[in-house]
Amino acid sequence: MIKKTDKLYSILGLNRSNNSYNMYDPSKKALFHKENFSSFLKGNYFDVQPVCVEIVPSLDCNFNCPKCTYVQNKSKEKDKGKKRLMSQEVFDSIIGGLKGSYIKSLIFTGGGEPLKNPLYLEFMKQAKESGFEIGLYTNGALFKEGDFEKLLEIKPVFIRVSLNAGTSITHGLIYGYNGKNPIIFNNIKRNIVDLGRTKTKLNVPTNIGIGYIINEKNYEELDEISDVLLQLYEDSEGGIDYVAFRPEVYYFDDDLNVVTEQPNSEIFAEIPDLLEDKIANKVESSGMRVLINKEGFNNLSLPYQNIPNISHPWSASFDYDGRMYITSEHNGMEGFCIGDIKNTSLKDVWYGNKRKELMMKMDSGEIKTPPYFKLKSLNNLLLNIRDLGIFSEKEANEFYKSIDIDNKPPHVNFI
Ligand SMILES: C[S@@+](CC[C@H](N)C(=O)[O-])C[C@H]1O[C@@H](n2cnc3c(N)ncnc32)[C@H](O)[C@@H]1O
Ligand code: SF4
């Protein structure tokens, strides 16, 4: 009979003799978090803790993307008319709560646009000085003179600017404004160039990236997108490290039901090959890495399946008001808050009844799983492993004996 540990090796794609693995498969990062992964193997699912959390410094945004995740989950309808910016007090509660926890990294993102909050640089600095690794997702429009130096001096692990378009007209369509006047699009491109140049000037290890979500509005302009990328790379004197392509996801309909038919599924079936051909083949020789989330495109081109989500404990999310949510896709969404860090300790929030209840409903399929989500590839991996049955302490230890735990993949704490 094949031993359980050997089956685990095979699921993980590991080779027992040389411990080789695909460093860039994000789902494999999980096994380098030994305490968590061992809890999972031993069936102690409630004990798994987040490695990475998303922080929403602002629910307000300078744009109005019709398909923004947080428009779809209606979190943007919360507290309308108020200034929806994270206060220093709330951020202090979050950092205070996270210190000494299992959490190792923070991604500053939205909700809305992080740079809408005048304190965003202070928050990032404070998080870094408190010992966390940090990253930033931004739409890139609101950088001010001097921000590039200040931001890069904090040495985030990455800064990814969401560009999402090859022309100003399409940028306007995706971001919900009239893009006939190219000022906004050109300004964002200039900011990306300045970020890249400043990174080189300061000689910091921060990875500068450009993000693209692909949808029906931009998939026909891949030639324009590759021209834009080559130009940005040249103008930044090689200061841009990567471009990442992912599908735009239709998560929830107007009644907050999970969308079971993706309007772009036919486009997505073709996209990975088109991106290889029209982008990777042209851009990679310049030196910029092209990352294509093939699994995401493939997944969304296939019929929807309500596969249980058991990966969510590995990551979580804080809204601007200090409330903690079970996944990033559910951030700010009614019914998915697991507690408030302003008046409850992280431990009490994490081990509280609300998370237990949501966890059970997500595992049983009572809460439908979104068609695609950030931890989908990790989820697939964990489901396959769970099918092997529960590991004993001895089996879990035996597995770890032949893992070179110090040979970690890059960005292992960004799950
Ligand atoms: C919600 S935004 C927040 C940060 C910032 N405002 C921005 O746009 O980068 C984070 C990322 O989610 C992406 N995004 C927004 N709506 C999406 C959707 N429906 N499917 C997939 N990604 C989406 C954005 O393009 C961006 O890269
Ligand atoms: S810029 Fe970002 S946060 Fe703002 S609406 Fe668009 S995707 Fe959402």
Side-chain angles (χ1 to χ4, degrees):
M1 212 172 83
I2 307 173
K3 275 170 62 179
K4 233 196 281 167
T5 38
D6 285 335
K7 286 188 192 160
L8 177 57
Y9 264 87
S10 141
I11 289 174
L12 288 164
L14 298 174
N15 179 336
R16 207 188 242 290
S17 53
N18 64 8
N19 191 15
S20 62
Y21 54 88
N22 175 1
M23 299 272 278
Y24 292 101
D25 180 345
S27 62
K28 303 289 160 36
K29 292 176 187 174
L31 72 101
F32 291 88
H33 298 280
K34 188 173 168 186
E35 193 183 325
N36 253 2
F37 199 70
S38 300
S39 293
F40 172 75
L41 289 177
K42 291 188 279 181
N44 302 327
Y45 306 125
F46 201 57
D47 291 343
V48 174
Q49 298 166 69
V51 174
C52 174
V53 288
E54 292 196 357
I55 306 275
V56 173
S58 167
L59 186 55
D60 287 338
C61 190
N62 50 318
F63 289 128
N64 198 7
C65 307
K67 284 295 154 218
C68 174
T69 313
Y70 305 100
V71 169
Q72 294 189 46
N73 80 8
K74 301 203 179 186
S75 76
K76 281 190 191 271
E77 290 186 9
K78 233 175 30 177
D79 302 334
K80 257 192 175 162
K82 283 194 199 161
K83 258 202 159 149
R84 299 172 301 176
L85 304 180
M86 187 176 279
S87 65
Q88 182 65 55
E89 204 185 348
V90 168
F91 191 68
D92 287 345
S93 314
I94 295 176
I95 287 292
L98 302 193
K99 271 189 201 161
S101 75
Y102 199 75
I103 292 157
K104 297 173 178 64
S105 70
L106 271 59
I107 300 177
F108 291 81
T109 177
E113 168 53 35
L115 272 64
K116 275 292 263 186
N117 192 326
L119 296 174
Y120 89 96
L121 282 168
E122 286 306 314
F123 290 171
M124 291 181 74
K125 194 160 170 240
Q126 191 178 340
K128 184 71 193 269
E129 284 169 357
S130 304
F132 298 100
E133 291 185 87
I134 51 169
L136 171 69
Y137 297 146
T138 169
N139 61 42
L142 299 179
F143 284 110
K144 292 195 298 292
E145 189 80 36
D147 276 5
F148 303 112
E149 272 86 359
K150 286 186 201 143
L151 177 57
L152 283 156
E153 273 160 7
I154 307 171
K155 300 196 181 100
V157 172
F158 66 83
I159 300 166
R160 192 188 73 199
V161 180
S162 320
L163 192 55
N164 294 346
T167 61
S168 64
I169 297 280
T170 311
H171 194 268
L173 285 173
I174 293 176
Y175 283 87
Y177 68 96
N178 179 350
K180 272 199 182 133
N181 181 342
I183 286 183
I184 294 178
F185 189 54
N186 288 345
N187 183 26
I188 296 170
K189 287 193 288 177
R190 203 198 53 232
N191 285 340
I192 294 173
V193 168
D194 285 349
L195 261 179
R197 286 191 179 185
T198 311
K199 168 209 154 104
T200 310
K201 186 178 85 188
L202 297 181
N203 192 21
V204 290
T206 302
N207 271 275
I208 307 290
I210 302 176
Y212 273 89
I213 50 171
I214 296 292
N215 56 25
E216 73 289 351
K217 301 181 182 91
N218 62 11
Y219 85 104
E220 279 178 323
E221 59 180 40
L222 298 186
D223 288 328
E224 286 86 346
I225 291 174
S226 89
D227 289 347
V228 165
L229 290 171
L230 286 169
Q231 193 65 52
L232 290 175
Y233 190 77
E234 191 183 320
D235 293 351
S236 68
E237 291 154 8
I240 299 160
D241 298 283
Y242 71 93
V243 54
F245 290 92
R246 315 186 314 289
E248 181 182 78
V249 186
Y250 281 63
Y251 296 100
F252 306 104
D253 66 16
D254 282 349
D255 298 321
L256 293 176
N257 295 314
V258 159
V259 173
T260 53
E261 279 186 36
Q262 290 296 307
N264 288 324
S265 59
E266 277 176 30
I267 298 174
F268 290 160
E270 316 282 319
I271 283 292
D273 285 347
L274 280 173
L275 287 173
E276 282 292 344
D277 181 37
K278 289 183 175 277
I279 308 272
N281 284 345
K282 293 183 191 159
V283 172
E284 267 185 336
S285 53
S286 70
M288 196 193 303
R289 270 189 295 139
V290 178
L291 312 174
I292 303 171
N293 183 343
K294 291 186 182 163
E295 199 205 333
F297 289 110
N298 290 338
N299 241 286
L300 292 174
S301 67
L302 298 171
Y304 173 81
Q305 278 183 292
N306 186 22
I307 294 171
N309 181 354
I310 62 167
S311 58
H312 55 82
W314 291 78
S315 161
S317 203
F318 284 99
D319 209 353
Y320 80 97
D321 53 9
R323 292 194 202 166
M324 192 173 187
Y325 287 82
I326 192 154
T327 77
S328 62
E329 292 81 8
H330 293 102
N331 191 304
M333 190 169 177
E334 211 173 316
F336 291 88
C337 172
I338 56 172
D340 190 336
I341 200 80
K342 294 194 297 299
N343 48 37
T344 319
S345 73
L346 181 70
K347 203 168 162 208
D348 286 348
V349 172
W350 194 247
Y351 292 105
N353 286 336
K354 184 64 186 172
R355 188 173 75 91
K356 196 174 268 172
E357 176 200 321
L358 288 172
M359 190 169 172
M360 274 169 1
K361 289 185 180 167
M362 287 168 109
D363 194 349
S364 69
E366 188 180 336
I367 292 177
K368 274 194 171 171
T369 307
Y372 193 74
F373 51 102
K374 179 177 146 177
L375 300 183
K376 175 86 176 169
S377 65
L378 173 61
N379 196 49
N380 289 349
L381 183 83
L382 297 179
L383 286 169
N384 283 335
I385 296 172
R386 196 172 69 167
D387 282 348
L388 298 177
I390 287 175
F391 280 60
S392 65
E393 179 89 36
K394 193 169 156 228
E395 285 169 325
N397 287 342
E398 188 192 326
F399 167 70
Y400 268 105
K401 255 191 219 149
S402 32
I403 295 286
D404 180 3
I405 198 83
D406 295 324
N407 184 15
K408 296 186 197 314
H411 306 169
V412 69
N413 293 329
F414 288 94
I415 287 210

